[in-house]
């Protein structure tokens, strides 16, 4: 059995991570799981970036002797990804700190509950009733009077 | 319905990325800039690890920007987590007990090991894989392990801030020294030495030491804030 | 040979990434995210990027897990052995 192509496997791994992270960000209702999904998508993007500088016939960009004997892989994407990983953990720590404040302020991390509570708070501060449904106007205002033409009433 | 829509979105995204990746010459990248750097870097910086010379010499300002981002993230996290004035009544004043014997003995054993491994990685960044960022994380882990074992003995916040500020200032100071010497900002200065020696590559090990101390101090401060 | 190793690593990595989204216990989900980072660092080592592999192993698999677990403790959601969140 022929061995599969290395580049194809790694591309599918990176794209799979990005897709799984995107789905996770779309479907997760818990804010902490959203942060985890973001970390996964970021890992996939890093893998694709390193892959962009890879050459199948090359060695790591570190000199072992005085002269270059074999071709080396591109060092520029590697330096870029090194930067991106460290910034990623900084962003993650900031997100966790914000989650802690959200939990202190609203007592929940569920996105739908958070939405209703934030809406209630905004409506309470503005002094209007919270919107009960999308079809009913908020603020206790009456329905607009349906326009009837004189021809229909006649 | 919502999940079905997300699944369709993911399939579309993956198809788009596959279509893009199929057009790229992956595996045999032409590398125009990379080839030039690979040819010139050993002679210009004297560093055996070419990724290090890209991070600190060719893209040094980028690394300075990264340090600024990390500093901003750590500062804002500390600011957000600081107890507010209104929450004073909810401050947990419970006494912090030391962890059990196994954890304390393990942390006493690990602390010097992690510290020396961290400094080894930082100081050999121009010779072997590693450098300021990786070594800084290991240094932060050393302090965090001892903090977990003995929560009462916290690292002093003033000391952490002082180390961080001095390291950041010395990074910029080395860059300004290159400017004074007639070169560009953050251009490598000092003698390049012999390739592969510990004392070589001019100012790159000093820059990585500053990065390592700054990252280590920032991250241990962040972990201490989160653990409070 | 390298391709087979990469195939196994990518398979495990994608499996762990799916587990991050589907595990009910948040502590287990964070552990699965660390597993993703660890396998990714092995892939970086295969891709002739030892610097990136070292960073990913130290930052992604180590520090990021510690940050998330500490955050979970501050959030009061850390509760080993209990299903603390019903939603997947």
């Amino acid at each position: 059995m022929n061995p599969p192509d290395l580049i194809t496997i790694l591309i599918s791994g990176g794209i799979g991570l990005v897709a799984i992270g995107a789905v996770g960000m779309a479907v997760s209702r818990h804010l902490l799981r959203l942060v985890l999904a973001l970390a996964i998508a970021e890992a996939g993007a890093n893998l694709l970036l390193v892959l962009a500088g890879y050459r199948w016939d090359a060695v790591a960009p570190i000199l072992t002797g005085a002269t270059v004997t074999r071709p080396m892989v591109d060092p520029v994407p590697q330096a870029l990804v090194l930067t991106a990983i460290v910034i990623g953990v900084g962003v993650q720590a900031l997100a966790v700190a914000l989650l802690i404040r959200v939990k202190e302020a609203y007592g929940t991390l569920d996105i739908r509950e958070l939405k209703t509570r934030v809406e209630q708070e905004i409506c309470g501060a503005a002094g209007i009733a919270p919107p009960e449904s999308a079809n009913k106007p908020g603020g206790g205002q009456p329905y607009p009077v349906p326009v009837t033409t004189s021809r229909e009433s006649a | 319905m919502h999940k079905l829509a997300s699944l369709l979105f993911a399939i579309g995204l993956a198809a788009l990325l596959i279509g893009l990746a199929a057009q790229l010459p992956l595996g045999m990248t032409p590398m125009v800039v990379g080839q030039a750097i690979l040819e010139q870097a050993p002679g210009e910086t004297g560093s055996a690890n070419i990724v290090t010379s890209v991070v600190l010499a060719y893209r040094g300002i980028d690394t300075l920007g990264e340090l600024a981002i990390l500093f901003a993230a750590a500062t804002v996290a500390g600011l957000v987590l600081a107890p507010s004035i209104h929450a004073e009544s909810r401050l947990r004043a419970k006494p912090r007990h030391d962890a059990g014997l196994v954890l304390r003995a393990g942390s006493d054993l690990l602390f010097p090991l992690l510290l020396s491994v961290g400094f080894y990685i930082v100081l050999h960044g121009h010779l072997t894989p590693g450098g300021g960022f990786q070594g800084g994380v290991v240094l932060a882990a050393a302090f965090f392990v001892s903090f977990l074992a003995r929560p009462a003995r916290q690292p002093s916040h003033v000391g952490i801030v002082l180390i961080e500020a001095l390291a950041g200032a010395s990074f910029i100071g080395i860059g300004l020294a290159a400017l004074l010497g007639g070169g560009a900002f953050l251009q490598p200065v000092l003698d390049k030495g012999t390739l592969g020696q510990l004392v070589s590559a001019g100012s790159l090990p000093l820059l990585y030491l500053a990065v390592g101390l700054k990252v280590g101090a920032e991250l241990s401060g962040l972990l201490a804030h989160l653990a409070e | 040979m390298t391709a087979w190793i990469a195939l196994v690593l990518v398979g495990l990595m994608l499996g762990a990434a799916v587990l991050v989204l589907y595990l009910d216990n948040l502590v287990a989900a964070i552990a699965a995210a660390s597993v993703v980072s660890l396998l990714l660092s092995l892939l970086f080592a295969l891709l002739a990027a030892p610097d990136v592999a070292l960073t990913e192993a130290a930052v992604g698999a180590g520090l990021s897990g510690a940050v998330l677990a500490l955050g979970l403790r501050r959030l009061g959601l850390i509760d080993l052995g209990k299903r603390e969140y019903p939603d997947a």
Side-chain angles (χ1 to χ4, degrees):
Chain A
M1 195 174 167
N2 284 331
D5 184 27
L6 177 66
I7 306 285
T8 316
I9 296 169
L10 291 168
I11 288 177
S12 52
I15 291 177
L17 278 188
V18 171
I20 290 172
V23 168
M25 279 189 275
V27 300
S28 57
R29 285 180 57 188
H30 196 272
L31 277 180
L32 192 82
R33 211 178 285 275
L34 205 141
V35 174
L36 287 177
L38 185 68
I40 287 178
E42 194 185 289
N46 285 340
L47 180 55
L48 289 178
L49 269 176
V50 170
L51 202 54
Y54 178 68
R55 291 167 67 91
W56 58 271
D57 58 345
V59 295
I62 293 170
L63 291 176
T64 47
T67 52
V68 180
T69 49
R70 292 185 60 187
M72 291 177 172
V73 300
D74 198 341
V76 179
Q78 296 195 9
L80 190 73
V81 170
L82 201 101
T83 314
I85 290 173
V86 178
I87 287 183
V89 80
V91 169
Q92 215 172 21
L94 183 58
V96 167
L98 288 176
L99 286 193
I100 291 170
R101 290 299 281 187
V102 166
K103 174 91 173 180
E104 274 176 15
Y106 293 103
T108 180
L109 284 178
D110 187 300
I111 287 182
R112 296 180 199 183
E113 273 184 48
L114 263 181
K115 183 168 174 269
T116 56
R117 290 191 196 187
V118 170
E119 265 176 6
Q120 275 172 5
E121 196 181 86
I122 291 172
C123 293
I128 53 178
E132 285 161 29
S133 89
N135 298 324
K136 193 179 167 193
Q141 289 161 357
Y143 283 112
V145 181
V147 183
T148 52
T149 55
S150 56
R151 198 173 299 164
E152 279 174 3
S153 58
Chain B
M1 192 59 217
H2 185 64
K3 295 209 171 180
L4 187 69
S6 322
L7 200 66
L8 283 177
F9 163 65
I11 292 172
L13 184 72
L16 190 70
L17 287 174
I18 288 171
L20 278 175
Q23 293 175 6
L24 294 175
L26 290 178
M28 38 190 167
T29 324
M31 44 192 274
V32 182
V33 177
Q35 199 57 49
I37 285 179
L38 282 178
E39 278 162 13
Q40 294 180 8
E44 277 185 355
T45 64
S47 156
N49 185 349
I50 295 175
V51 176
T52 296
S53 41
V54 174
V55 167
L56 290 179
Y58 296 104
R59 290 175 63 225
I61 295 181
D62 189 85
T63 304
L64 185 62
E66 179 192 4
L67 287 179
I69 290 177
L70 204 62
F71 172 71
T75 311
V76 174
L79 200 68
V80 167
L81 287 177
S84 65
I85 308 163
H86 306 292
E88 252 178 75
S89 54
R90 289 191 285 122
L91 269 185
R92 296 172 295 273
K94 67 179 175 198
R96 292 169 159 275
H97 297 295
D98 285 2
L101 173 71
V102 175
L103 199 53
R104 271 184 288 130
S107 94
D108 288 345
L109 195 67
L110 272 178
F111 182 72
L113 277 177
L114 281 174
L115 212 59
S116 45
V117 167
F119 274 112
Y120 178 90
I121 294 178
V122 169
L123 290 176
H124 287 73
H126 58 298
L127 301 177
T128 54
F133 295 107
Q134 298 92 324
V137 174
V138 176
L139 289 181
F143 285 100
F144 183 58
V145 164
S146 72
F147 173 76
L148 277 185
R150 296 189 177 77
R153 255 203 281 155
Q154 278 197 37
S156 78
H157 281 293
V158 180
I160 287 177
V161 170
L162 202 67
I163 291 176
E164 192 187 324
L166 280 178
S170 57
F171 189 93
I172 297 176
I174 293 171
L176 287 179
L179 207 59
L180 285 182
F185 184 61
L186 279 174
Q187 187 176 345
V189 289
L190 302 179
D191 186 34
K192 282 192 262 307
T194 331
L195 189 89
Q197 296 292 311
L198 181 58
V199 183
S200 67
S203 58
L204 294 193
L206 294 176
L207 282 177
Y208 245 167
L209 185 62
V211 170
L213 288 178
K214 187 165 167 61
V215 169
E218 243 156 32
L219 292 178
S220 44
L222 188 73
L223 286 172
H225 263 302
L226 272 171
E228 262 165 25
Chain C
M1 190 59 207
T2 319
W4 289 112
I5 298 175
L7 190 65
V8 172
L9 289 178
V10 165
L12 285 175
M13 189 176 72
L14 291 181
V18 172
L19 277 186
V20 170
L21 301 184
Y22 281 97
L23 279 174
D24 285 335
N25 192 318
L26 284 175
V27 181
I30 289 173
S34 286
V35 168
V36 172
S37 279
L38 199 62
L39 293 170
L40 189 64
S41 79
L42 290 177
L43 283 179
F44 283 142
L46 270 185
L47 277 173
D51 278 279
V52 184
L54 201 57
T55 316
E56 181 73 36
V59 175
L63 188 78
S64 150
V67 165
L68 286 166
L70 283 176
L72 207 61
R73 196 179 76 174
R74 278 282 292 258
L75 289 168
L77 294 174
I78 203 158
D79 208 356
L80 295 164
K82 227 174 81 179
R83 293 163 73 99
E84 58 250 300
Y85 196 71
D87 186 69

